[in-house]
Amino acid sequence: GEDVEQSLFLSVREGDSSVINCTYTDSSSTYLYWYKQEPGAGLQLLTYIFSNMDMKQDQRLTVLLNKKDKHLSLRIADTQTGDSAIYFCAERSGNTPLVFGKGTRLSVIA
Amino acid sequence: SAVISQKPSRDICQRGTSLTIQCQVDSQVTMMFWYRQQPGQSLTLIATANQGSEATYESGFVIDKFPISRPNLTFSTLTVSNMSPEDSSIYLCSVFTSGMYTGELFFGEGSRLTVL
């Protein structure tokens, strides 16, 4: 089946930028998503990008998509302690359910 | 966006019992999805619930273990039957609000089950 890979951990200093990376195998992916999960909480949709886009920016968040390399990244500018959470990358193609990565745990050091 | 409410938010259950989780959405949606998140793991789709028809289960999940009801366009239930400690997980309900399989997929806060 299709697969989504993420590094498991990332640690950054408060005020720096965070870049969380994701690779996927499905060449027919249509939508790619980033979700945030804080401890004890459900999943919060941060942003998503359609596969015909290269970039999407929303306030402190920038999503970059390299469709040729099947690589997605999420950049968080001016990272704050409140950004500490697990970030999940997910993709889907056509009328199929989302496939999630294992999540990247972001730790922000004050 | 959608407001998705799940009950219970958490529960501790005894081995061999069953628990029903409810999911209520604040708008009518065609499809509702049930996911499982085992401790420290990613999300795995259990089944897709359509109103007026049988749920569609993913590989590894069966109706006898995870019966689903979808009586109307805003509500669904997932039952975890004959529970064992391996069923200890967060169970999440989710919906697309823009129509079937388009755009944004929203999640409820999840129901955290611990089976002793």
Side-chain angles (χ1 to χ4, degrees):
Chain A
E2 304 302 341
D3 197 20
V4 176
E5 296 285 340
Q6 301 177 239
S7 54
L8 294 182
F9 300 99
L10 177 65
S11 182
V12 300
R13 293 197 177 277
E14 190 174 22
D16 288 350
S17 292
S18 308
V19 179
I20 303 171
N21 294 301
C22 169
T23 58
Y24 58 97
T25 59
D26 187 354
S27 57
S28 60
S29 290
T30 51
Y31 287 94
L32 296 116
Y33 301 78
W34 284 105
Y35 286 87
K36 176 183 180 183
Q37 186 177 39
E38 296 182 66
L43 269 71
Q44 175 194 354
L45 176 64
L46 288 178
T47 187
Y48 69 99
I49 188 169
F50 191 55
S51 59
N52 66 354
M53 300 168 65
D54 298 323
M55 185 182 84
K56 182 177 181 180
Q57 188 155 2
D58 183 4
Q59 300 182 336
R60 292 191 298 123
L61 305 179
T62 302
V63 177
L64 295 178
L65 175 61
N66 182 328
K67 196 171 180 181
K68 173 176 171 288
D69 295 337
K70 301 191 190 70
H71 182 268
L72 182 75
S73 67
L74 174 69
R75 178 177 180 270
I76 305 172
D78 186 26
T79 311
Q80 302 298 308
T81 55
D83 295 322
S84 293
I86 300 175
Y87 291 80
F88 289 94
C89 170
E91 66 86 21
R92 70 171 179 85
S93 60
N95 290 340
T96 60
L98 269 67
V99 176
F100 285 83
K102 293 190 186 308
T104 299
R105 183 179 298 273
L106 174 65
S107 298
V108 181
I109 305 165
Chain B
S1 65
V3 176
I4 305 171
S5 304
Q6 285 188 234
K7 291 181 182 179
S9 58
R10 58 179 63 234
D11 206 341
I12 299 173
C13 308
Q14 295 299 317
R15 183 195 299 259
T17 63
S18 299
L19 183 78
T20 295
I21 302 166
Q22 299 179 2
C23 177
Q24 179 76 52
V25 187
D26 68 342
S27 58
Q28 294 185 338
V29 294
T30 306
M31 306 174 95
M32 297 174 77
F33 305 88
W34 287 98
Y35 283 84
R36 179 175 75 180
Q37 185 181 24
Q38 293 177 299
Q41 300 296 314
S42 186
L43 281 78
T44 303
L45 180 66
I46 298 171
T48 303
N50 302 307
Q51 194 268 333
S53 64
E54 291 285 330
T56 303
Y57 289 83
E58 298 299 306
S59 176
F61 298 96
V62 295
I63 188 171
D64 289 346
K65 175 67 175 178
F66 297 101
I68 286 172
S69 78
R70 183 79 201 275
N72 58 52
L73 291 173
T74 63
F75 187 78
S76 178
T77 67
L78 170 75
T79 299
V80 186
S81 303
N82 188 25
M83 286 186 284
S84 66
E86 292 71 34
D87 294 319
S88 297
S89 297
I90 302 173
Y91 292 85
L92 298 121
C93 170
S94 65
V95 302
F96 284 105
T97 57
S98 307
M100 288 172 54
Y101 289 119
T102 60
E104 301 163 321
L105 181 70
F106 292 97
F107 284 84
E109 287 295 307
S111 299
R112 185 182 297 268
L113 267 54
T114 301
V115 184
L116 303 177

